Amino acid sequence: MTTATPARTSSVPARTTLAALTGLEARLLVREWAPMLFAFVFPPMMMLVLAGVFANDGGAAYGGADATDYYIAAYLGVPLAALALMGLPTALAGYRERGVLRRFEASGLSLTAVVCAQALVTAGLIVLAAGLVLAVAAPVYGLPELHDPVGVALGFALGTAAMLSLGVVLGLLARTARSAQALGLLVFLPMWLLGGGGPPPSVMTDVMQQIAGALPMTHVTDVVRDAWLGTGEIGRPLALTAVWLVVGLVLCAWLLRRRPDRV
Amino acid sequence: MEPTTLSRPARQTDEPGALAHDDGAAPPPSPAVIEVRGLRKSYGQQAVLRGIDLTVRRGEIFALLGLNGAGKTSAVETVQGLRRADAGDIRVLGLDPHRQRRRLRSVVGAQLQSSSLPERLRVGEALRTFARLAGDVVDWRELQDVWGLTTLRRTAFGALSGGERQRLFIALALVNDPRVVFLDELTQGLDPTARRETWELVRRVRDRGATVVLVSHSMEEVEHLADRVAVLHEGRIVACDTPARLVTRADGSVRTCFTLPAAAGRVRLDHLPGVDAVTRAGPAVEVVGDGTTPLLVAAELVRAGILPDDLTVRRPSLEDVFVRLVQRTTSGEVAA
């Protein structure tokens, strides 16, 4: 078979690609921040309301903690779920829907690189949004004493990774931005209500507790809250969060390897 | 294995990929950059490509022409490795597009039919980023300048006109200094001025040394741009040659029309060599014949002292040939 000159090889390191893409995604996000508004406003707002309403409660129902402290610590995890399960899948599916992923792929950028860049940017946003929860809580209620900073950091990092992997799965499954939004909301709402942002587990029915126990968000909230307030052992919820991370990564790898015929 | 052999009128050029020489000698064929054998592709039960054979040679503008839904985009995207072939053998610059996708991506550029960029991404930013991701093998500022994008460098993609977007897409397709460029329905939706500007840009891409594979359903575009054209219909290549030879091969009928001046006497034209038919409707005359007929008719009229001032010659267009090929193929007469 006659062919022209042999091809040269691409020599762009994967790290350079990821850094360039992440920088690009971050800049674009700064210009189009409106869709992320919910993830930044909703958690501090709900935290203010719930911590205020149940200010006089506390004790056994809240794992021995003050209700205000309980909700401040619990709401660190809510922006995590909102951004990972709603923002990330919508952005990813929107790229697919509008042909941006195809444009990237035609330029030699793998879907994995685009996914990783979006996940990294979302991780940065999660840190900012969680910081905003604390910044709003501090002058109003004061921050609860931090018992186990390493546990909080570990739980937050592992939880972020787990939720991001699940968000990527949703984004790869949804064909359009609207379906990703609907899917994300469907997943986020029970996680928020039963996984730490709503009533404490002790006032839930058995069925609700069983459902809550099956949700990854519950374990993430448990780790962060218990490590912060010193209200419980974090080993089990940390392990369960790690299991969800593995599940999410396996699903991501399968979906990315499956590589749709047309991205 | 080409559906038809390559034979193109001389184009004066010093390019190594030139298709013919102006000294009249038979040129050695340029090396093939794309070779496709027996390419098949289906979506579910629907067969879109039913065994395509193609060879694209270095330095040419090769067009894939077909109706909407003929399988053009599937063919070129499979050749680029953006879709998986069900069967067949594909080599682009000697690389397997599926197994060696990464290597292939570094030497091909693509403007896809239905792709986009983030709405807020600015022109300069897009060029800078994509150039960086391609290894900075070209100066993106120069590319920006060459493609008339410098004044738009701070404009967001979402605010660009159709023509500006296409210019950006072509520029992005060149950030890796590709050897083969795929352009899919490049001028769809553009106004006539923007379309002609874009054609000029495509010629410039070829002049920079790249081989261009053009996907189009516009006969005018293919006639203007393509060195060779393959007609794709119902998943098969039904003809492949230069536009001029396709027209000549398919139907040589040339119509010469004129109106006899009032004082003109009778003139006999049906005896002229190559004339198939002469039709008269009052003073209006139409002569159907081969490619030499207009000259012979004109000479005969001059000889008879008749000088009509409205003589026109209508040669069959690529569109005529295309419609005929499609009709023949649809009715079961495989043309090529």
Side-chain angles (χ1 to χ4, degrees), chain A residues 1-12 14 16-21 24-25 27-28 31-32 95 98-110 257-263, chain B residues 31-33 35 37 41 43 77 81-84 89 91 93-95 101 103 105-107 110-112 114-118 120-122 125 128-130 132-135 169 176-179:
Chain A
M1 194 178 275
T2 325
T3 51
T5 41
R8 57 172 179 266
T9 313
S10 172
S11 57
V12 183
T16 307
T17 300
L18 189 59
L21 265 182
L24 180 73
E25 289 295 332
R27 284 195 300 277
L28 292 174
R31 288 174 209 156
E32 200 160 28
Y95 267 15
R98 296 202 309 274
V100 175
L101 289 183
R102 299 186 71 234
R103 176 64 261 170
F104 281 143
E105 197 186 19
S107 298
L109 298 174
S110 68
R257 275 180 66 87
R258 196 182 59 161
R259 190 179 152 252
D261 189 69
R262 183 174 183 166
V263 291
Chain B
V33 291
E35 294 199 75
R37 307 270 191 278
K41 175 75 186 167
Y43 299 113
E77 292 192 354
L82 296 173
R83 297 171 189 262
R84 274 182 206 169
D89 188 35
R91 287 289 180 277
L93 294 161
L95 298 171
R101 285 177 74 227
R103 287 190 70 194
R105 292 261 67 84
S106 68
V107 285
Q111 171 268 328
L112 305 174
S114 52
S115 73
S116 186
L117 286 169
R120 305 270 176 155
L121 183 64
R122 292 172 186 151
E125 200 171 36
R128 189 180 63 233
T129 306
F130 278 83
R132 177 146 194 239
L133 295 172
F169 282 141
N176 58 341
D177 192 20
R179 291 173 189 162

Side-chain angles (χ1 to χ4, degrees), chain A residues 80 84 153-164 220 238 241:
Chain A
L80 196 157
L154 195 61
F156 195 80
L158 206 59
T160 299
M163 299 306 264
L164 285 175
V220 177
L238 202 58
T241 304

Side-chain angles (χ1 to χ4, degrees), chain B residues 6 59 76 95 106 146 181 200 223 227 243 245 271 285 292 326:
Chain B
L6 176 67
V76 290
L95 298 171
S106 68
V146 167
V181 182
E200 187 50 41
E223 275 191 305
D227 296 310
R245 280 175 57 91
H271 69 289
V285 181
T292 61
V326 166

Side-chain angles (χ1 to χ4, degrees), chain A residues 39 117 122 128 148 169 196 214:
Chain A
T122 308
L128 287 177
D148 179 5
V169 170

Side-chain angles (χ1 to χ4, degrees), chain B residues 247-269:
Chain B
V247 170
T248 310
R249 267 194 336 157
D251 183 353
S253 294
V254 177
R255 291 168 193 278
T256 308
C257 304
F258 57 90
T259 307
L260 286 168
R266 282 191 69 82
V267 58
R268 199 174 156 219
L269 300 169

